[in-house]
């Protein structure tokens, strides 16, 4: 333990002078979306809040860089990266403020789902398996998303420190690629779309275009299943705080979890991989069971998550060699 703390606060001999690669990703997305905010300023509902939110993140990024330059050690590096991870929840909600101005596309996704499967799996899955223990299992899987991120990146920090920054870069860069897609593809997901249209119409295969409905309304269905469950309430509380009618296609839950699963395999520590694997499988199922996503969202998340992982891992090697 003493050795660990010595390593944690030991001054680095060759500290990084500039921004980390993951911080460049954040800054690039910040600048890009700031230009978008200026462009939609008269139409956006909260343009001042969006601008000042970006200013605060820029100030935080610079302040953490200054602290690290003053005390360049593993601890300040960890804080510098950890804060950017914590800010992802703000960036997620922010996508809604932009894509709410575009016409909603859920009717197209629901129609495609119906064409492929002959039904709405998100509507029928929870009805087919309504048992309390299964409901809690699905909610547990969905709630494990952020703990999975923490577990994998903490493992890198503690046991694969030389690749910690690389793992964090791949994770954060994947998040921001998804954020760009969410801004351009305004899909709310079944829990919002089914609520807006009505369950009876959805069950009858009627998928109207709700156009700009979600620009004014953020109502969604309650989670199906065991309403007295611990994990049920945990997911419901999280939805009430940060859920928005955005980010449905592709499923970033499935995509980022795929990235994390591959990162856990990359460590060559099979114990970590086999700990992550069951939660990964349950999480993928839960996105449909809890009506957060269509099945095609999950499939797209799986494909894009694997693709982003290999591309970003290759990019991280090139940036390191420069």
């Amino acid at each position: 333990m003493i050795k660990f703390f010595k390593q944690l606060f030991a001054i680095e001999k060759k500290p990084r002078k500039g921004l980390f690669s993951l911080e460049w990703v954040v800054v690039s997305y910040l600048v890009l979306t700031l230009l978008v905010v200026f462009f939609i300023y008269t139409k956006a509902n909260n343009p001042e809040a969006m601008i000042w939110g970006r200013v605060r993140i820029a100030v935080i990024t610079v302040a953490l860089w200054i602290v690290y330059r003053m005390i360049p050690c593993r601890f300040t590096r960890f804080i510098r990266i950890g804060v950017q991870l914590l800010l992802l929840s703000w960036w997620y909600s922010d996508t809604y403020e932009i894509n709410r101005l575009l016409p909603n596309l859920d009717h197209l996704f629901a129609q495609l789902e119906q064409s492929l499967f002959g039904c709405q799996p998100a509507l029928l899955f929870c009805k087919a398996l309504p048992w309390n223990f299964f409901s809690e299992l699905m909610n547990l899987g969905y709630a494990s998303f952020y703990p999975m991120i923490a577990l994998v990146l903490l493992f890198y920090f503690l046991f694969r420190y030389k690749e910690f920054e690389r793992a964090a870069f791949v994770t954060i860069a994947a998040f921001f690629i998804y954020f760009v897609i969410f801004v351009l593809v305004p899909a709310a997901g079944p829990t919002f779309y089914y609520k807006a249209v009505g369950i009876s119409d959805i069950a009858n295969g009627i998928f109207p275009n709700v156009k700009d409905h979600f620009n004014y309304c953020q109502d969604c269905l309650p989670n199906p299943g065991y309403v007295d469950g611990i994990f049920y309430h945990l997911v419901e509380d999280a939805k009430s705080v940060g859920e928005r009618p955005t980010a449905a296609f592709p499923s970033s839950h499935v995509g980022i979890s795929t990235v994390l699963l591959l990162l856990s395999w990359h460590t060559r520590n099979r114990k970590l991989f086999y700990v992550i694997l069951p939660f990964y499988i349950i999480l993928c199922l839960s996105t449909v069971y809890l009506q957060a996503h269509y099945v095609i969202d999950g499939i797209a998340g799986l494909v894009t998550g694997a693709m982003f992982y290999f591309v970003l891992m290759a990019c991280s090697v090139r940036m390191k060699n420069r």
Side-chain angles (χ1 to χ4, degrees), residues 25-309:
V25 171
V26 175
V27 170
S28 298
Y29 182 82
L30 186 155
V31 172
L32 174 64
T33 53
L34 182 62
L35 294 175
V36 173
V37 173
F38 286 137
F39 183 75
I40 64 171
Y41 190 91
T42 57
K43 297 181 180 179
N45 287 359
N46 304 295
E48 294 87 359
M50 295 170 72
I51 292 171
W52 283 112
R54 284 160 173 75
V55 171
R56 285 193 292 269
I57 289 176
V59 170
I60 290 170
T61 301
V62 172
L64 290 173
W65 171 77
I66 292 173
V67 170
Y68 171 78
R69 292 295 294 156
M70 294 173 62
I71 313 172
C73 63
R74 291 190 180 189
F75 178 74
T76 52
R77 183 184 290 257
F78 177 79
I79 295 299
R80 189 171 164 182
I81 293 173
V83 168
Q84 297 298 343
L85 286 165
L86 292 174
L87 288 171
L88 288 172
S89 60
W90 186 88
W91 285 116
Y92 164 77
S93 299
D94 181 77
T95 62
Y96 168 68
E97 298 299 331
I98 300 176
N99 76 23
R100 69 196 297 180
L101 300 178
L102 300 174
N104 176 262
L105 301 176
D106 272 85
H107 61 292
L108 299 178
F109 289 103
Q111 288 171 353
L112 178 59
E113 192 96 335
Q114 192 79 15
S115 299
L116 291 174
F117 304 105
C119 64
Q120 293 292 302
L123 186 63
L124 300 180
F125 190 11
C126 56
K127 292 182 179 179
L129 299 170
W131 311 308
N132 292 349
F133 83 90
F134 195 82
S135 169
E136 274 294 89
L137 184 65
M138 292 295 101
N139 280 283
L140 167 62
Y142 200 76
S144 67
F145 180 58
Y146 290 108
M148 283 172 61
I149 297 174
L151 176 62
V152 172
L153 293 184
L154 277 175
F155 184 91
Y156 270 91
F157 181 73
L158 295 174
F159 304 108
R160 299 288 189 277
Y161 181 72
K162 290 183 179 180
E163 290 199 281
F164 168 60
E165 186 184 333
R166 183 187 189 191
F169 162 75
V170 171
T171 304
I172 288 180
F175 262 109
F176 279 100
I177 294 173
Y178 281 120
F179 292 162
V180 171
I181 297 174
F182 297 155
V183 167
L184 299 175
V185 184
T191 187
F192 290 100
Y193 183 66
Y194 291 178
K195 176 69 174 180
V197 174
I199 295 297
S200 60
D201 281 351
I202 295 296
N204 290 322
I206 300 173
F207 312 114
N209 184 351
V210 297
K211 299 180 180 179
D212 62 348
H213 172 81
F214 296 117
N215 190 18
Y216 309 101
C217 182
Q218 301 181 39
D219 293 340
C220 64
L221 296 172
N223 277 353
Y226 181 41
V227 296
D228 293 324
I230 295 173
F231 292 107
Y232 177 94
H233 284 288
L234 184 63
V235 172
E236 278 292 282
D237 290 343
K239 283 175 61 178
S240 64
V241 172
E243 194 60 87
R244 301 287 189 277
T246 181
F249 181 86
S251 169
S252 59
H253 272 72
V254 174
I256 297 298
S257 297
T258 301
V259 170
L260 295 172
L261 187 70
L262 293 170
L263 281 172
S264 68
W265 182 266
H266 180 75
T267 65
R268 298 177 183 174
N269 185 301
R270 296 301 172 252
K271 291 182 180 179
L272 175 64
F273 177 80
Y274 289 122
V275 167
I276 294 293
L277 182 59
F279 288 98
Y280 170 76
I281 294 172
I282 297 169
L283 184 145
C284 291
L285 294 173
S286 71
T287 59
V288 178
Y289 185 91
L290 300 181
Q291 301 176 335
H293 292 282
Y294 306 101
V295 172
I296 54 177
D297 299 340
I299 295 172
L302 174 62
V303 173
T304 55
M307 181 177 65
F308 293 165
Y309 168 80

